[in-house]
């Protein structure tokens, strides 16, 4: 298991490049199931969750070709022969987003068998809203031996359009049912949808494949089902959470960082909050933003919301920054019921944080000192690396495999702008032939 050793104290200076969005790549790769023709996706990040998604699709019969060298981020997926349309527990247990194959599988083949995703470090994360929507579209859902089986009525042979209203805003729920609706018979109207840029990215790919979709990015999405979808080539969005993490890295270290190859229009809530906390943030163009902080950081509260509100996937990173801000910051987590696993690790480094239900009270500035800490989930890992960048001494961060799930070569990228961070242990075993 890899470990990071981080020597704190260096301001980050220079340009750091953002990779493609993990949370766009996952649904876009699953969308390949919807057609017999090849899908070529560009800007796919080389992170562990993407390797898992590849394994999942290959286990069902997909053929996958990866770009090399300059085309490293290119992935071509062909699901002509879905010989074994089952999402097996061995794979699903390592990545909940595997449940994103449910909608496309039943839409394409009339049947889907997917292992129930178990619990997760950040919360229960049920998929009841995915299943409820599929039932309204005519699927029969059964559950046995830890698997969900969804089947269309054999007489009808496909899903039908429906009026769906989500009880709660769900990102992958919106994506899963969107993929189910594009091949359904008739019109589907989905209300109270997630408006995240990743939903818009998936919808744009589906339209390139021949789907009829209106309203992606708003609370109401309309889909007119078609009989068949074709192959496509599509470049996915940059990762707004990775970009936000780098902006915080520049601010917390008192550096001068240019974050490039991002989409600044997706960073509104994070940039606003950083400015409120006293950092100077300049948008240099549609894909480049500069963060500088040569003064004191000041306390500012956050409350996580669905997009375009402050993202829950930036909460832990922001908390690390709040430990260095003058005053008391309230950090409220409204999306997941157990997303404060990083608090005790930050407290071990000397942070002043108290948790009461959904709210953490952060008192700053705290003088952080190096310690041995452990990652518990993807974004918690990022907050520990950020804290270690300003802590006195050498911090040992264990279980960084959590971070590798969603950050591409994070240690190399940070070293490129002056961070003293070393990875102990070998990262990715050589790729299976
Ligand atoms: C997506 O997860 C992201 N993952 C998460 O990013 C992100 O934290 C989350 O959206 C919120 O922005 C991917 O896109 C692969 P939800 P998702 O369904 O879709 C409840 C990261 O760090 N809910 O929007 O699983 C759920 O429990 C990851 O990259 C139900 O009750 O999240 C939660 O409280 C972590 N029933 C809330 O809704 C359902 O059927 C929002 O969850 C579905 C969700």
């Amino acid at each position: 298991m890899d470990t990071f050793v981080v020597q704190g104290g260096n301001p980050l200076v220079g340009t750091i490049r953002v990779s493609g969005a993990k949370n766009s790549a996952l649904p876009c790769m699953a969308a390949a199931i919807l057609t017999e023709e090849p899908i070529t996706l560009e800007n796919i990040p080389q992170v562990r969750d993407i390797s898992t998604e590849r394994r999942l699709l290959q286990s069902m019969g997909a053929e996958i070709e990866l770009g090399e060298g300059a085309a490293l981020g290119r992935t071509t997926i062909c699901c002509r022969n879905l010989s074994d349309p089952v999402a097996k527990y061995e794979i699903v247990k390592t990545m909940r987003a595997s449940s994103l194959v449910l909608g496309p599988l039943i839409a394409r083949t009339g049947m889907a068998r997917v292992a129930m995703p178990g619990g997760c470090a950040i919360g229960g994360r049920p998929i009841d809203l995915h299943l409820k929507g599929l039932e309204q579209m005519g699927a029969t859902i059964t559950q046995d031996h830890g698997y969900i089986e969804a089947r269309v009525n054999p007489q009808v042979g496909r899903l039908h359009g429906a009026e769906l209203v989500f009880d709660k805003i769900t990102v992958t729920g919106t994506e899963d049912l969107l993929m189910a609706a594009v091949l359904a018979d008739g019109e589907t109207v989905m209300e109270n949808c997630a408006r995240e840029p990743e939903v818009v990215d998936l919808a744009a790919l589906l339209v390139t494949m021949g789907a009829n979709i209106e309203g992606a990015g708003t609370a109401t999405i309309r889909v007119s089902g078609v009989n068949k979808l074709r192959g496509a080539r599509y470049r996915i969005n940059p990762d707004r959470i990775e970009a936000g993490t780098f902006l915080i890295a520049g601010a917390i270290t008192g550096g001068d960082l240019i974050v490039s190859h991002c989409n600044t229009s997706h960073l509104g809530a994070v940039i606003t909050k950083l400015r409120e906390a006293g950092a100077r943030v300049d948008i240099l163009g549609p894909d480049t933003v500069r963060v500088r902080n040569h003064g004191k950081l000041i306390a500012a509260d956050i409350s996580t919301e669905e997009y375009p509100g402050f993202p829950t996937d930036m909460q832990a990173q922001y908390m690390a920054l709040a430990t260095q801000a003058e005053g008391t910051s309230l950090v409220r987590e409204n999306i997941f019921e157990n997303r404060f696993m990083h608090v005790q690790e930050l407290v071990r480094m000397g942070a002043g944080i108290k948790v009461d239900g959904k709210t953490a009270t952060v008192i700053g500035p705290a003088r952080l000192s190096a310690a041995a800490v452990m990652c518990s989930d993807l974004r918690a890992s990022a907050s520990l690396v950020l804290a270690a960048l300003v802590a006195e001494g050498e911090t040992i961060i264990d279980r960084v495999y959590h971070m590798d799930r969603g950050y591409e070569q994070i240690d190399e990228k940070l070293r490129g702008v002056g961070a003293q961070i070393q990875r102990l242990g070998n990262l990715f075993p050589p790729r299976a032939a």
Side-chain angles (χ1 to χ4, degrees):
M1 267 204 278
D2 289 4
T3 298
F4 282 153
V5 178
V6 183
Q7 173 66 52
N10 291 20
L12 301 189
V13 178
T15 300
I16 192 162
R17 179 182 176 131
V18 171
S19 301
K22 167 186 77 81
N23 290 347
S24 275
L26 294 170
C28 287
M29 290 172 75
I33 293 169
L34 291 165
T35 176
E36 294 182 352
E37 297 176 22
I39 297 281
T40 297
L41 299 171
E42 308 272 2
N43 202 24
I44 298 289
Q46 306 303 301
V47 296
R48 203 175 283 276
D49 274 7
I50 297 303
S51 320
T52 306
E53 182 80 4
R54 277 203 303 267
R55 262 189 318 118
L56 174 65
L57 293 169
Q58 283 165 327
S59 75
M60 297 196 286
E63 285 152 30
I64 298 187
E65 224 182 280
L66 298 176
E68 295 286 339
L72 191 58
R74 180 180 304 148
T75 300
T76 300
I77 307 166
C78 184
C79 293
R80 180 174 299 112
N81 307 314
L82 286 175
S83 49
D84 185 10
V86 178
K88 301 171 188 60
Y89 179 65
E90 294 66 46
I91 301 178
V92 173
K93 74 178 179 192
T94 63
M95 183 181 72
R96 308 180 50 68
S98 310
S99 53
L100 273 168
V101 300
L102 195 54
L105 274 176
I106 189 171
R108 164 91 186 280
T109 70
M111 197 285 272
R113 189 168 163 73
V114 173
M116 289 278 287
C120 164
I122 66 176
R125 303 185 71 181
I127 58 169
D128 56 315
L129 301 176
H130 302 226
L131 304 179
K132 185 177 169 194
L134 287 176
E135 276 176 332
Q136 289 172 277
M137 298 173 78
T140 306
I141 309 271
T142 53
Q143 185 191 326
D144 67 344
H145 305 298
Y147 278 76
I148 291 158
E149 194 151 299
R151 278 178 186 281
V152 299
N153 171 339
Q155 264 79 48
V156 185
R158 65 194 286 209
L159 295 169
H160 57 71
E163 305 242 338
L164 308 177
V165 182
F166 287 103
D167 302 332
K168 206 173 180 176
I169 294 175
T170 160
V171 176
T172 51
T174 302
E175 294 165 345
D176 203 11
L177 295 176
L178 181 59
M179 290 191 276
V182 290
L183 287 177
D185 179 15
E187 186 176 58
T188 298
V189 181
M190 302 160 59
E191 302 276 2
N192 198 27
C193 294
R195 294 179 278 162
E196 270 67 3
E198 295 75 33
V199 172
V200 176
D201 220 5
L202 171 65
L205 165 64
L206 293 170
V207 167
T208 319
M209 294 166 68
N212 291 335
I213 301 171
E214 286 164 24
T218 75
T220 303
I221 300 178
R222 282 177 193 283
V223 183
S224 304
V226 296
N227 295 334
K228 216 170 165 12
L229 291 173
R230 58 178 178 265
R233 177 185 283 274
Y234 184 77
R235 184 177 179 80
I236 65 163
N237 274 342
D239 196 313
R240 63 192 170 96
I241 306 298
E242 185 189 19
T245 304
F246 291 153
L247 287 174
I248 293 205
I252 200 173
T253 58
D256 182 347
L257 206 54
I258 291 178
V259 178
S260 71
H261 297 81
C262 64
N263 183 327
T264 53
S265 70
H266 295 163
L267 300 170
V270 174
I271 291 174
T272 305
K273 202 44 74 175
L274 274 171
R275 287 177 174 151
E276 210 181 308
R280 177 172 172 186
V281 181
D282 300 304
I283 294 180
L284 306 181
D287 65 356
T288 310
V289 53
R290 181 178 182 181
V291 58
R292 280 174 279 186
N293 170 31
H294 302 318
K296 270 209 193 98
L297 291 167
I298 44 179
D301 302 345
I302 62 162
S303 177
T304 64
E305 310 291 343
E306 295 85 3
Y307 190 86
F310 192 92
T312 173
D313 293 349
M314 284 297 303
Q315 177 258 100
Q317 299 92 313
Y318 182 81
M319 191 183 285
L321 182 101
T323 67
Q324 300 307 296
E326 189 89 24
T328 302
S329 310
L330 297 182
V331 173
R332 188 172 170 80
E333 174 55 53
N334 295 308
I335 307 294
F336 292 108
E337 62 272 24
N338 186 34
R339 202 166 204 180
F340 285 143
M341 299 289 279
H342 41 285
V343 169
Q344 280 323 311
E345 299 301 304
L346 292 172
V347 168
R348 283 173 46 70
M349 297 176 75
I353 310 171
K354 288 230 173 355
V355 173
D356 178 9
K358 291 185 171 192
T359 304
T361 303
V362 186
I363 298 173
R367 196 179 119 276
L368 298 183
S369 59
V373 292
M374 196 151 55
C375 305
S376 55
D377 61 78
L378 171 58
R379 308 305 171 183
S381 327
S383 81
L384 300 182
V385 168
L386 293 168
L389 290 172
V390 293
E392 282 165 26
E394 222 173 54
T395 299
I396 312 291
I397 305 177
D398 205 0
R399 299 187 177 184
V400 297
Y401 62 85
H402 283 290
M403 194 154 197
D404 292 332
R405 291 189 57 174
Y407 288 93
E408 183 178 297
Q409 295 166 336
I410 185 77
D411 50 321
E412 289 173 36
K413 287 189 179 185
L414 289 173
R415 268 196 303 277
V417 288
Q420 282 188 273
I421 177 170
Q422 291 306 325
R423 176 186 291 266
L424 303 185
N426 62 2
L427 173 59
F428 281 135
R431 213 188 271 157

